[in-house]
Each structure stands twice: as structure tokens, then as C-alpha cells.
Amino acid sequence: MRVLILGYYGFGNAGDEALLLSLLQMLPASAAPVVLTPRPTITAQSYSVQVCPRWQPLTIAQQLRSAQVLIWGGGSLLQDATSWRSPLYYLGLMAAAQRLNLITLAWAQGIGPLHRPWIRSWVRQVLANCTQISVRDEKSASLLDAWQISYTRAPDPVWCLSSQPPILSEPPKHPAIAVILRA
């Protein structure tokens, strides 16, 4: 099964890269993942996956037509506090996947803040058409409850990472560990 993976992957943000790694570890062996990324060579080498250049619409359209599943997430991709362009990118691709009848999964999402009514409306419409949704925080869950959209609330999937270190093209120079405390 060909799975197109859409998120903020390949930008060098450690949290998003950890989300991608946990997602790749969770996929069944029968899945053939293709990751949308701004740095195809680095992402392909770092994760041993097929890649699709994030900013090439024709290539993305070809990948959508050949996929059976689009996984969208994780992280706070559905917010317009930093820019209205970002949600347009994600919503546009998810809506296109839904028009092509792909299985669409909104995975480990954080939803909001949504300041613009037209973006809020489009988020609601696209999420209502998702095959499955998982959110990781109470505010996202409350919003979906208000919209009467079914979802699963789950912890951040990074906590499910295997204890096996990832296969990296270049091993780190020094061992490191990161600890993030949250309320």
C-alpha cells in the first residue's frame, strides 16, 4: 500500500523529525511510505524512504494519484496564527486526496488557533471528510467535539519511538538526550 506522508518534515525541526520517525516505525510492513519534504536527498538518506519534493505540484499530483493513503500530521499544522499560507498548503493537499478517494488520516494533530473564519470553515470541512483523526491535546478535542467530528485522543506519538536508534547517514559526533517537561 502506497502511503503519502505530509507534515512539516525535512525542515530540520527536531520535534517534527521525531514525529516522522515514530510514524515510520508505526507503519505496517506492507506500507510503502513516500514523504513530502523540502530536502529530498537528506530525508531519503536519513530515513531510507522514498521522497517527493514538497514544492513541485506536478510531482505531488502524480504521487497523490498513485497513493492509496495520505497521512497528514503530526504537530500543529492546522493553525493560522503564524501564517494563513501554511494551512492552505495542508488543507489543499488533504482536500485533493479526498477528491481522489484516498484514505485520509489526520494523525497526531494539534488544531488551532484558527483566527480567520474562512480557514476555520475549511478546516472543519476537510476534517469532517477524514477517514480517521487523532489529536493530542484537550483544546483540539474540544473543538472537534463542538463540530461533532469523531476523533481519537492520544498522547504525542514520539513517546512510542522504538528504543533502537535511527539509521542516520552520519552518526552524531556526541551522544545526546533531550528531556522536555510539560504540564
Side-chain angles (χ1 to χ4, degrees):
M1 180 180 303
R2 197 165 177 80
V3 179
L4 192 57
I5 299 175
L6 169 64
Y8 196 72
Y9 308 127
F11 287 93
N13 179 302
D16 291 303
E17 300 305 317
L19 280 168
L20 175 58
L21 184 58
S22 66
L23 174 56
L24 293 171
Q25 288 179 358
M26 291 177 185
L27 288 175
S30 61
V34 179
V35 179
L36 271 73
T37 176
R39 301 183 310 175
T41 304
I42 292 169
T43 301
Q45 290 173 348
S46 296
Y47 299 101
S48 300
V49 293
Q50 291 183 10
V51 293
C52 175
R54 183 181 171 99
W55 307 117
Q56 294 183 6
L58 294 176
T59 306
I60 294 171
Q62 291 170 338
Q63 291 293 337
L64 280 169
R65 283 191 293 275
S66 68
Q68 289 78 44
V69 178
L70 178 81
I71 299 178
W72 176 32
S76 296
L77 302 175
L78 294 174
Q79 54 84 20
D80 64 356
T82 55
S83 170
W84 56 268
R85 290 177 182 95
S86 178
L88 289 186
Y89 177 80
Y90 294 114
L91 291 166
L93 288 175
M94 187 61 112
Q98 290 172 344
R99 280 192 302 276
L100 292 168
N101 295 314
L102 272 66
I103 295 168
T104 52
L105 308 174
W107 176 76
Q109 288 292 329
I111 305 168
L114 297 167
H115 300 296
R116 294 164 180 86
W118 61 277
I119 290 179
R120 177 182 279 267
S121 176
W122 200 17
V123 167
R124 183 178 184 177
Q125 177 186 352
V126 169
L127 288 176
N129 291 317
C130 282
T131 309
Q132 288 285 334
I133 301 169
S134 69
V135 296
R136 30 181 224 178
D137 64 273
E138 184 60 38
K139 286 184 181 180
S140 299
S142 295
L143 183 58
L144 292 177
D145 283 338
W147 288 344
Q148 298 180 343
I149 295 174
S150 179
Y151 65 92
T152 300
R153 183 156 176 220
D156 193 310
V158 170
W159 292 109
C160 297
L161 274 171
S162 164
S163 61
Q164 297 297 317
I167 299 171
L168 301 173
S169 54
E170 290 184 28
K173 293 180 178 145
H174 306 286
I177 185 168
V179 177
I180 300 171
L181 302 177
R182 293 184 180 174

